[in-house]
Amino acid sequence: MSEPAAGPVRLWDAPTRIFHWSLVVLILVSWLTAGKQMDVHRLSGYAVLGLVVFRLWWGVAGGSTARFASFLKGPKSTLAYVRGLGARTSSDIAGHNPMGAWSVVLMILVLAVQVTLGLFAVDIDGIESGPLSDLVDFDTGRAMAEAHELSFRILQGLIVLHLAAIAYYRFWKNENLVAAMITGRRRFESAVVPLKSAPLWSLAVGVALAVAVAYAAAKGFRF
């Protein structure tokens, strides 16, 4: 067990940081290629699906601060944290705060819905479609496409809230969340328990699962 420490503390492991920034790039690519460069759009969608699978695995078997069990809190703890948001003092929480934790879960769920809908979606001309669109009729495929677009609007809203929260913590609470997600370290005034890294085999399993699911989706789960 890692001993509590103050000062610059290891907070995020490399897989978590790579996941985060890869997702930023892929969401942007998916957005810019939608309805235009559908081959690239589909590839980015498969990659996002792989990242979601990896994050679900990493939330169970990853580094200590990435595990859902370490940062998901109940309603009472979450509400208590929300009541203290107005204070300008920096919070000494080694990982996601209670409110941020639930936003992470919500974003993962929306992404999972988004890519799943895309697998069944059919465009209005019936030309461009997801790899599983042949499992549903045209009208259902169109409904999936419309829901796919709606879920992306919801995702955009979550991203705006995420950016607003980053700005709030940076300028009101003097917490540089972006730098921490780049370097993996953050300075704490009081002693906190630093990151405990996951074993290499866990990373290998997570990567294998992500690649396998993304590849299977691209093949329409047919081999």
Side-chain angles (χ1 to χ4, degrees):
M1 186 73 179
S2 301
E3 293 296 327
V9 174
R10 288 188 67 219
L11 182 61
W12 304 116
D13 56 27
T16 300
R17 286 178 282 141
I18 291 171
F19 161 83
H20 181 277
W21 295 113
S22 297
L23 193 58
V24 170
V25 173
L26 288 170
I27 289 175
L28 184 59
V29 169
S30 295
W31 183 13
L32 295 177
T33 58
K36 301 172 184 177
Q37 297 171 281
M38 292 306 294
D39 288 342
V40 177
H41 185 75
R42 277 189 289 270
L43 288 174
S44 66
Y46 302 143
V48 170
L49 176 59
L51 286 179
V52 169
V53 170
F54 175 82
R55 187 63 184 89
L56 291 173
W57 167 261
W58 207 241
V60 175
S64 58
T65 54
R67 296 192 178 199
F68 299 128
S70 73
F71 62 75
L72 286 180
K73 307 297 181 184
K76 184 176 181 180
S77 297
T78 303
L79 287 173
Y81 179 81
V82 171
R83 292 191 190 99
L85 278 175
R88 302 203 68 164
T89 55
S90 177
S91 60
D92 284 336
I93 299 176
H96 295 296
N97 63 62
M99 191 171 68
W102 288 110
S103 69
V104 168
V105 172
L106 182 57
M107 190 169 292
I108 291 173
L109 288 176
V110 171
L111 283 168
V113 170
Q114 169 78 8
V115 294
T116 300
L117 290 169
L119 296 177
F120 294 91
V122 179
D123 74 354
I124 195 167
D125 298 318
I127 298 174
E128 297 289 354
S129 59
L132 299 181
S133 60
D134 59 340
L135 299 178
V136 299
D137 58 37
F138 178 77
D139 289 339
T140 302
R142 286 299 304 141
M144 294 285 196
E146 291 175 2
H148 180 67
E149 182 174 351
L150 175 61
S151 64
F152 185 68
R153 301 305 174 201
I154 295 172
L155 179 63
Q156 286 178 312
L158 291 175
I159 290 171
V160 169
L161 289 175
H162 183 66
L163 294 175
I166 289 173
Y168 171 79
Y169 279 95
R170 180 66 183 90
F171 297 108
W172 184 257
K173 287 184 170 293
N174 198 31
E175 296 181 26
N176 195 333
L177 305 183
V178 175
M181 190 54 71
I182 292 173
T183 65
R185 292 179 175 271
R186 185 186 144 197
R187 176 174 289 278
F188 292 91
E189 298 302 323
S190 60
V192 298
V193 178
L195 164 72
K196 181 181 179 182
S197 300
L200 188 58
W201 68 262
S202 183
L203 175 61
V205 170
V207 171
L209 284 172
V211 172
V213 172
Y215 180 78
K219 294 295 183 181
F221 295 94
R222 302 177 184 87
F223 301 96

